[in-house]
Amino acid sequence: MEQVLEVVQLTGGYSPRKPVLHGLSFEVRAGEMVGLIGLNGAGKSTAIKHILGLMQPHQGEVRIQGLTLEQHPEQYRGALAYVPETPLLFDELTVEEHLRLTGMAYGVEEPSYEERSARLMEEFYMTGKRGSFAAHLSKGMRQKVMIMNALLARPALYVIDEPFLGLDPLGIRSLLDKLVEVTKEGSAVFMSSHILSTVESYCHRFIVLHQGVIIAQGTLEDVCAAAGLRSGSGSLEEAFYRLVTDGGSNGPVG
Protein backbone atom coordinates (compact mmCIF):
# COMPACT_ATOMS: atom_id res chain seq x y z
CA MET A 1 0.00 0.00 0.00
CA GLU A 2 1.08 3.56 -0.69
CA GLN A 3 2.74 5.40 2.18
CA VAL A 4 0.73 8.55 2.88
CA LEU A 5 2.50 9.72 6.05
CA GLU A 6 6.19 9.01 6.67
CA VAL A 7 7.96 10.11 9.83
CA VAL A 8 11.69 9.45 9.64
CA GLN A 9 13.99 9.66 12.67
CA LEU A 10 12.06 12.62 14.07
CA THR A 11 13.63 14.34 17.04
CA GLY A 12 11.95 17.52 18.20
CA GLY A 13 10.29 19.59 20.86
CA TYR A 14 10.06 23.11 22.17
CA SER A 15 13.77 23.50 22.98
CA PRO A 16 16.74 22.07 21.02
CA ARG A 17 18.47 21.54 24.35
CA LYS A 18 15.72 19.32 25.69
CA PRO A 19 13.84 17.45 22.93
CA VAL A 20 10.50 15.82 23.72
CA LEU A 21 10.65 13.31 20.86
CA HIS A 22 13.60 11.02 20.24
CA GLY A 23 14.13 9.40 16.84
CA LEU A 24 10.53 8.58 15.93
CA SER A 25 10.06 6.55 12.74
CA PHE A 26 6.72 5.25 11.51
CA GLU A 27 4.37 5.35 8.55
CA VAL A 28 0.64 5.41 7.84
CA ARG A 29 -0.42 3.83 4.58
CA ALA A 30 -3.38 4.48 2.32
CA GLY A 31 -6.49 2.68 3.46
CA GLU A 32 -5.45 2.11 7.06
CA MET A 33 -6.13 3.60 10.47
CA VAL A 34 -3.21 3.85 12.88
CA GLY A 35 -3.70 4.59 16.57
CA LEU A 36 -1.20 6.64 18.58
CA ILE A 37 -1.41 5.81 22.28
CA GLY A 38 0.53 6.94 25.31
CA LEU A 39 0.24 8.42 28.78
CA ASN A 40 -0.25 12.15 29.31
CA GLY A 41 3.08 13.82 28.60
CA ALA A 42 4.33 11.00 26.38
CA GLY A 43 4.75 13.38 23.42
CA LYS A 44 1.63 12.59 21.39
CA SER A 45 0.55 16.22 20.90
CA THR A 46 4.14 17.24 20.12
CA ALA A 47 4.34 14.55 17.45
CA ILE A 48 1.06 15.75 15.94
CA LYS A 49 2.28 19.36 15.91
CA HIS A 50 5.35 18.29 13.93
CA ILE A 51 3.16 16.47 11.41
CA LEU A 52 0.96 19.54 11.04
CA GLY A 53 4.01 21.74 10.49
CA LEU A 54 3.40 23.79 13.63
CA MET A 55 6.81 22.75 14.95
CA GLN A 56 10.08 22.21 13.09
CA PRO A 57 12.07 19.01 13.68
CA HIS A 58 15.46 19.25 15.33
CA GLN A 59 16.42 16.21 13.28
CA GLY A 60 14.64 13.96 10.81
CA GLU A 61 11.69 14.82 8.61
CA VAL A 62 8.00 14.35 7.98
CA ARG A 63 6.59 13.60 4.51
CA ILE A 64 3.00 13.45 3.28
CA GLN A 65 2.58 11.72 -0.08
CA GLY A 66 6.35 11.95 -0.44
CA LEU A 67 6.44 15.74 0.03
CA THR A 68 7.89 17.80 2.87
CA LEU A 69 6.33 21.01 4.12
CA GLU A 70 9.47 23.00 3.32
CA GLN A 71 9.60 21.85 -0.31
CA HIS A 72 5.87 21.92 -1.15
CA PRO A 73 3.91 23.82 1.53
CA GLU A 74 0.65 24.18 -0.40
CA GLN A 75 0.44 20.55 -1.51
CA TYR A 76 1.52 19.32 1.92
CA ARG A 77 -1.17 21.28 3.77
CA GLY A 78 -3.81 20.45 1.17
CA ALA A 79 -3.20 16.72 1.65
CA LEU A 80 -4.23 16.66 5.32
CA ALA A 81 -7.13 17.60 7.55
CA TYR A 82 -6.88 17.99 11.30
CA VAL A 83 -9.43 17.50 14.07
CA PRO A 84 -8.03 18.88 17.35
CA GLU A 85 -8.96 17.81 20.86
CA THR A 86 -10.49 21.24 21.55
CA PRO A 87 -12.77 22.55 18.77
CA LEU A 88 -11.65 25.83 17.23
CA LEU A 89 -14.39 27.70 15.39
CA PHE A 90 -15.28 31.25 14.41
CA ASP A 91 -18.03 32.30 16.83
CA GLU A 92 -19.71 34.61 14.32
CA LEU A 93 -19.93 32.06 11.50
CA THR A 94 -22.76 29.56 11.19
CA VAL A 95 -22.30 25.81 10.85
CA GLU A 96 -22.97 26.03 7.10
CA GLU A 97 -20.55 28.94 6.69
CA HIS A 98 -17.79 26.89 8.32
CA LEU A 99 -18.39 24.09 5.83
CA ARG A 100 -18.53 26.56 2.95
CA LEU A 101 -15.20 28.07 4.03
CA THR A 102 -13.58 24.63 4.18
CA GLY A 103 -14.96 23.74 0.76
CA MET A 104 -13.40 26.88 -0.70
CA ALA A 105 -10.06 26.28 1.02
CA TYR A 106 -9.79 22.73 -0.31
CA GLY A 107 -11.18 23.50 -3.75
CA VAL A 108 -14.28 21.32 -3.42
CA GLU A 109 -16.45 21.87 -6.49
CA GLU A 110 -20.00 23.10 -5.93
CA PRO A 111 -21.94 19.91 -6.83
CA SER A 112 -19.65 17.84 -4.60
CA TYR A 113 -19.90 20.43 -1.83
CA GLU A 114 -23.70 20.40 -1.86
CA GLU A 115 -23.86 16.60 -1.77
CA ARG A 116 -21.18 16.13 0.89
CA SER A 117 -22.33 18.90 3.21
CA ALA A 118 -25.97 17.76 3.15
CA ARG A 119 -24.96 14.16 3.85
CA LEU A 120 -22.64 15.13 6.70
CA MET A 121 -25.32 17.34 8.29
CA GLU A 122 -27.68 14.38 8.24
CA GLU A 123 -25.17 11.79 9.44
CA PHE A 124 -24.08 13.93 12.40
CA TYR A 125 -27.63 15.05 13.24
CA MET A 126 -26.78 18.70 12.59
CA THR A 127 -29.28 19.58 9.86
CA GLY A 128 -31.37 21.58 12.30
CA LYS A 129 -28.28 23.54 13.34
CA ARG A 130 -27.23 24.50 9.81
CA GLY A 131 -27.87 28.21 10.41
CA SER A 132 -26.71 28.34 14.05
CA PHE A 133 -23.72 30.44 15.02
CA ALA A 134 -20.77 28.55 16.48
CA ALA A 135 -20.98 30.66 19.66
CA HIS A 136 -24.39 29.11 20.37
CA LEU A 137 -23.30 25.47 20.01
CA SER A 138 -22.44 23.04 22.79
CA LYS A 139 -18.89 21.65 22.94
CA GLY A 140 -20.07 18.38 21.42
CA MET A 141 -21.74 20.17 18.52
CA ARG A 142 -18.65 22.32 17.98
CA GLN A 143 -16.61 19.12 17.80
CA LYS A 144 -19.03 17.73 15.24
CA VAL A 145 -18.49 20.82 13.09
CA MET A 146 -14.71 20.26 13.22
CA ILE A 147 -15.18 16.63 12.21
CA MET A 148 -17.58 17.52 9.39
CA ASN A 149 -15.12 20.06 8.03
CA ALA A 150 -12.36 17.43 7.92
CA LEU A 151 -14.61 14.87 6.24
CA LEU A 152 -15.87 17.42 3.71
CA ALA A 153 -12.30 18.01 2.51
CA ARG A 154 -11.62 14.32 1.75
CA PRO A 155 -7.82 14.63 2.08
CA ALA A 156 -5.25 11.88 1.74
CA LEU A 157 -4.51 12.04 5.48
CA TYR A 158 -6.71 12.66 8.51
CA VAL A 159 -4.91 13.63 11.73
CA ILE A 160 -7.30 13.28 14.65
CA ASP A 161 -6.47 14.10 18.28
CA GLU A 162 -8.79 12.72 21.00
CA PRO A 163 -11.87 13.02 18.77
CA PHE A 164 -14.40 11.48 21.15
CA LEU A 165 -14.24 14.10 23.92
CA GLY A 166 -17.60 15.84 24.18
CA LEU A 167 -19.32 13.68 21.58
CA ASP A 168 -22.56 11.88 22.44
CA PRO A 169 -22.92 8.15 21.60
CA LEU A 170 -24.54 8.91 18.24
CA GLY A 171 -21.73 11.32 17.36
CA ILE A 172 -19.07 8.75 18.26
CA ARG A 173 -20.76 6.09 16.16
CA SER A 174 -21.16 8.47 13.21
CA LEU A 175 -17.48 9.42 13.39
CA LEU A 176 -16.25 5.83 13.57
CA ASP A 177 -18.50 4.81 10.66
CA LYS A 178 -17.13 7.69 8.58
CA LEU A 179 -13.52 6.84 9.43
CA VAL A 180 -14.10 3.28 8.27
CA GLU A 181 -15.65 4.66 5.08
CA VAL A 182 -12.78 7.03 4.27
CA THR A 183 -10.16 4.31 4.79
CA LYS A 184 -12.08 2.05 2.41
CA GLU A 185 -11.93 4.93 -0.09
CA GLY A 186 -8.13 5.04 0.26
CA SER A 187 -7.45 7.77 2.79
CA ALA A 188 -5.13 7.27 5.78
CA VAL A 189 -6.17 8.03 9.37
CA PHE A 190 -3.72 8.83 12.18
CA MET A 191 -5.64 9.00 15.44
CA SER A 192 -4.59 9.68 19.03
CA SER A 193 -6.96 8.48 21.74
CA HIS A 194 -7.01 7.26 25.33
CA ILE A 195 -10.04 5.02 24.68
CA LEU A 196 -8.02 1.88 24.05
CA SER A 197 -10.97 -0.46 23.48
CA THR A 198 -12.17 1.71 20.59
CA VAL A 199 -8.66 2.09 19.19
CA GLU A 200 -8.21 -1.68 19.32
CA SER A 201 -11.52 -2.32 17.55
CA TYR A 202 -11.01 0.12 14.69
CA CYS A 203 -7.29 0.62 14.07
CA HIS A 204 -5.19 -1.65 11.90
CA ARG A 205 -1.91 -0.85 13.63
CA PHE A 206 -0.76 0.91 16.79
CA ILE A 207 2.11 3.09 17.97
CA VAL A 208 2.92 3.12 21.68
CA LEU A 209 4.74 6.30 22.66
CA HIS A 210 6.38 6.56 26.08
CA GLN A 211 8.59 9.38 27.30
CA GLY A 212 9.09 10.56 23.72
CA VAL A 213 10.19 7.16 22.40
CA ILE A 214 8.28 4.53 20.42
CA ILE A 215 8.44 1.44 22.63
CA ALA A 216 6.20 -0.73 20.43
CA GLN A 217 4.41 -0.50 17.10
CA GLY A 218 2.63 -2.74 14.64
CA THR A 219 -0.41 -4.96 14.76
CA LEU A 220 -2.08 -5.99 18.01
CA GLU A 221 -0.04 -9.18 17.88
CA ASP A 222 3.18 -7.17 17.50
CA VAL A 223 2.35 -4.90 20.43
CA CYS A 224 1.36 -7.85 22.63
CA ALA A 225 4.62 -9.60 21.74
CA ALA A 226 6.59 -6.47 22.70
CA ALA A 227 4.76 -6.52 26.04
CA GLY A 228 5.66 -10.16 26.63
CA LEU A 229 2.15 -11.51 26.09
CA ARG A 230 1.54 -14.80 24.32
CA SER A 231 0.07 -14.56 20.83
CA GLY A 232 -3.70 -14.14 20.91
CA SER A 233 -3.85 -13.91 24.71
CA GLY A 234 -3.85 -10.17 25.36
CA SER A 235 -5.78 -6.98 24.70
CA LEU A 236 -4.32 -3.64 23.65
CA GLU A 237 -5.13 -2.26 27.11
CA GLU A 238 -3.25 -5.05 28.88
CA ALA A 239 -0.27 -4.77 26.52
CA PHE A 240 -0.17 -1.00 26.93
CA TYR A 241 -0.29 -1.26 30.72
CA ARG A 242 2.58 -3.73 30.77
CA LEU A 243 4.69 -1.64 28.40
CA VAL A 244 4.35 1.66 30.22
CA THR A 245 4.54 0.29 33.75
CA ASP A 246 7.72 -1.55 32.80
CA GLY A 247 9.05 1.84 31.74
CA GLY A 248 9.61 0.65 28.21
CA SER A 249 12.18 -1.84 29.39
CA ASN A 250 11.93 -3.71 26.11
CA GLY A 251 13.48 -0.66 24.38
CA PRO A 252 12.24 1.24 21.36
CA VAL A 253 10.73 -0.76 18.54
CA GLY A 254 10.65 0.26 14.88
Side-chain angles (χ1 to χ4, degrees):
M1 291 185 288
E2 173 194 357
Q3 293 178 345
V4 176
L5 171 65
E6 300 169 80
V7 175
V8 183
Q9 289 297 311
L10 173 64
T11 294
Y14 298 93
S15 169
R17 296 180 179 179
K18 192 175 181 181
V20 175
L21 307 174
H22 307 274
L24 271 56
S25 291
F26 62 88
E27 63 185 35
V28 184
R29 298 186 286 264
E32 72 171 356
M33 198 182 310
V34 173
L36 176 66
I37 59 176
L39 299 174
N40 292 335
K44 302 186 300 298
S45 294
T46 304
I48 288 173
K49 287 177 181 177
H50 279 83
I51 293 167
L52 298 176
L54 300 177
M55 298 179 71
Q56 294 299 311
H58 303 163
Q59 295 178 17
E61 65 179 7
V62 179
R63 295 191 290 264
I64 297 179
Q65 293 188 313
L67 306 175
T68 65
L69 177 63
E70 292 75 19
Q71 294 170 337
H72 304 278
E74 189 171 332
Q75 295 95 318
Y76 184 101
R77 292 192 176 99
L80 69 87
Y82 172 51
V83 179
E85 176 181 352
T86 302
L88 301 170
L89 300 176
F90 298 101
D91 284 347
E92 295 182 358
L93 292 184
T94 66
V95 172
E96 185 170 16
E97 286 169 342
H98 278 92
L99 291 173
R100 178 69 66 179
L101 186 63
T102 296
M104 293 170 61
Y106 281 88
V108 179
E109 296 182 356
E110 185 64 21
S112 296
Y113 169 79
E114 293 292 343
E115 186 272 329
R116 292 181 197 176
S117 61
R119 186 149 59 94
L120 287 167
M121 292 276 195
E122 182 178 347
E123 290 170 343
F124 283 90
Y125 305 94
M126 291 290 287
T127 302
K129 296 293 183 179
R130 178 187 296 271
S132 298
F133 291 104
H136 301 158
L137 300 176
S138 68
K139 181 181 178 181
M141 288 183 177
R142 291 167 69 91
Q143 185 72 336
K144 286 183 181 182
V145 176
M146 295 294 297
I147 292 166
M148 290 192 298
N149 275 281
L151 292 167
L152 178 79
R154 293 196 178 176
L157 173 67
Y158 292 85
V159 179
I160 306 179
D161 189 9
E162 293 294 347
F164 308 119
L165 296 179
L167 289 182
D168 57 35
L170 287 176
I172 292 173
R173 182 58 183 267
S174 297
L175 172 59
L176 291 170
D177 287 346
K178 291 301 293 185
L179 292 180
V180 170
E181 181 181 317
V182 299
T183 55
K184 287 181 178 179
E185 293 172 351
S187 292
V189 175
F190 183 61
M191 178 172 67
S192 171
S193 177
H194 287 301
I195 306 178
L196 299 187
S197 58
T198 300
V199 172
E200 179 178 343
S201 297
Y202 283 86
C203 290
H204 302 91
R205 292 188 297 112
F206 315 93
I207 298 167
V208 183
L209 190 62
H210 189 57
Q211 297 178 354
V213 176
I214 294 176
I215 57 173
Q217 69 171 305
T219 63
L220 178 59
E221 185 175 336
D222 295 331
V223 174
C224 286
L229 297 172
R230 289 184 290 109
S231 177
S233 66
S235 65
L236 181 63
E237 183 173 356
E238 183 179 1
F240 175 76
Y241 178 79
R242 287 198 179 196
L243 285 164
V244 300
T245 55
D246 287 344
S249 59
N250 293 314
V253 177

